[in-house]
Amino acid sequence: MNARRRQHLRLLLLGLMPRLAGAALVIAALWAGFFWATARPGAL
Amino acid sequence: MWEAPWEALLEPFASFGFMRRALLGCIAISVGATPVGVFLMLRRMSLTGDAMAHAILPGAAVGYLVAGLSLGAMTLGGLIAGMAVALLSGLVTRVTALREDASLAAFYLISLALGVLIVSTRGSNVDLMHVLFGTVLALDDAALILLCSIASLSVLTLAALFRPLVLECADPQFLRSVSGLSAVTHFTFLTLVVLNLVGGFHALGTLMAVGIMILPAAAARFWAASIGWLVIAAVAVAMLSSLSGLLLSYHYSLPSGPAIILVAGIAYGVSLVFGPTGGLVARALLRPHFNS
């Protein structure tokens, strides 16, 4: 039973690393946007 | 008018810091809240999102009473109120005969009335408008850090729990039977909904925050068949709506929040008619094939 649950858990976590890598890219782009929006001079 | 069409697109963001901040705030909400909206829609919980958006109001109002228009106090208050309503409506459903939609509706109506009462008795009409419709053109550094942090946390959590979330949309009984992740997934998802609504509330207000969550998700449903593409299409629609809404509000002096949500509404209308996945035109073209 435990082996079966482990197998199901592995299926649920399939593709985790590529998704986390994609998420890291999105987050990096977002924070780059933060520095673009707040660091450049402009009215207000 | 403008010397070149792209000047109309770039000039507001190149010249004005408040426009860049508004754009980044909207993009952060699009990246964080819209994928959550896709899962809300897939779980047939779109109206739950709307109810939760109203439920955060009394907490934000109490934060406002204690500390004025303080970002931290209103965020914390909104989070506590949103989570309390989500948990209480679940509890009432478990211990009484009332269904979850009815108990959630009861709690959110009470919350909305209480929130408006607190803000309007202690504050001015301007404060009430700020809480209800947000101030996307007045986002400061602290608000942007909050929005980007919530978006980052949401993207990471959704990437980690993507498959359990998809499975819970398709077959929650199966997920419950094979894994202990079901309860964790459900609670984490509810927390993400409340977090994103509280973040969105600072920019678009309690009444509009749910719009950028649900409308792009509903529009994307007519363009994508798989959940991965649905999320990507919804985020793209949300970003384009934000950009177009901000530009329209800049050039034609329209209120920004409603302009953004209305553009998302137009995207939904166009998708409803022309979308290749179940849109009206696609269905009309398919019908003769089925008839023959």
Side-chain angles (χ1 to χ4, degrees):
Chain A
M1 189 63 189
N2 270 348
R4 201 170 181 185
R5 274 184 177 259
R6 255 202 309 277
Q7 198 180 0
H8 282 132
L9 192 65
R10 211 176 300 145
L11 277 175
L12 289 177
L13 297 178
L14 204 68
L16 180 67
M17 283 304 150
R19 283 199 302 275
L20 285 179
L25 279 178
V26 170
I27 291 168
L30 192 64
W31 285 100
F34 172 78
F35 290 111
W36 166 76
T38 56
R40 289 180 56 201
L44 206 88
Chain B
M1 288 301 274
W2 311 287
E3 286 175 14
W6 51 264
E7 197 180 317
L9 296 177
L10 297 181
E11 192 264 333
F13 303 108
S15 303
F16 297 105
F18 73 90
M19 285 297 284
R20 286 198 295 275
R21 287 162 182 275
L23 181 65
L24 178 76
C26 290
I27 286 176
I29 295 171
S30 305
V31 166
T34 308
V36 173
V38 169
F39 284 103
L40 272 176
M41 183 186 71
L42 290 175
R43 295 169 72 159
R44 299 179 179 87
M45 287 171 67
S46 302
L47 287 174
T48 304
D50 193 33
M52 297 297 291
H54 293 84
I56 64 175
L57 188 60
V62 170
Y64 164 76
L65 268 190
V66 173
L69 286 172
S70 151
L71 186 79
M74 288 172 81
T75 302
L76 188 66
L79 265 178
I80 292 170
M83 290 311 295
V85 167
L87 294 175
L88 277 175
S89 59
L91 184 72
V92 167
T93 310
R94 276 185 185 81
V95 299
T96 67
L98 204 63
R99 283 173 179 263
E100 190 164 14
D101 61 329
S103 62
L104 192 63
F107 276 110
Y108 105 72
L109 288 168
I110 294 166
S111 301
L112 181 65
L114 189 63
V116 172
L117 190 83
I118 292 171
V119 178
S120 56
T121 51
R122 295 295 180 93
S124 66
N125 279 345
V126 176
D127 295 331
L128 184 62
M129 293 296 277
H130 168 90
V131 171
L132 291 180
F133 299 106
T135 48
V136 69
L137 296 181
L139 293 174
D140 57 9
D141 281 6
L144 283 180
I145 289 173
L146 178 78
L147 289 175
C148 289
S149 303
I150 289 174
S152 303
L153 184 69
S154 302
V155 169
L156 268 181
T157 310
L158 289 175
L161 289 179
F162 186 77
R163 283 177 80 93
L165 271 172
V166 170
L167 199 54
E168 214 184 34
C169 295
D171 194 348
Q173 305 289 347
F174 175 71
L175 180 64
R176 219 164 289 154
S177 68
V178 300
S179 157
L181 278 174
S182 176
V184 177
T185 306
H186 185 70
F187 184 74
T188 310
F189 180 69
L190 274 184
T191 309
L192 278 186
V193 172
V194 175
L195 255 180
N196 278 286
L197 286 171
V198 170
F201 137 80
H202 288 294
L204 299 169
T206 53
L207 296 183
M208 296 284 163
V210 77
I212 204 73
M213 208 178 235
I214 299 297
L215 278 172
R221 177 66 187 81
F222 295 104
W223 298 97
S226 74
I227 296 181
W229 282 111
L230 192 57
V231 170
I232 292 169
V235 171
V237 170
M239 285 184 178
L240 283 175
S241 304
S242 302
L243 178 69
S244 314
L246 283 173
L247 286 171
L248 281 174
S249 93
Y250 177 83
H251 290 298
Y252 298 102
S253 303
L254 301 171
S256 310
I260 292 168
I261 303 303
L262 273 177
V263 173
I266 291 169
Y268 169 72
V270 170
S271 306
L272 180 73
V273 177
F274 299 108
T277 312
L280 291 174
V281 172
R283 286 173 79 97
L285 289 175
L286 272 176
R287 203 159 289 152
H289 165 76
F290 282 129
N291 289 341
S292 66

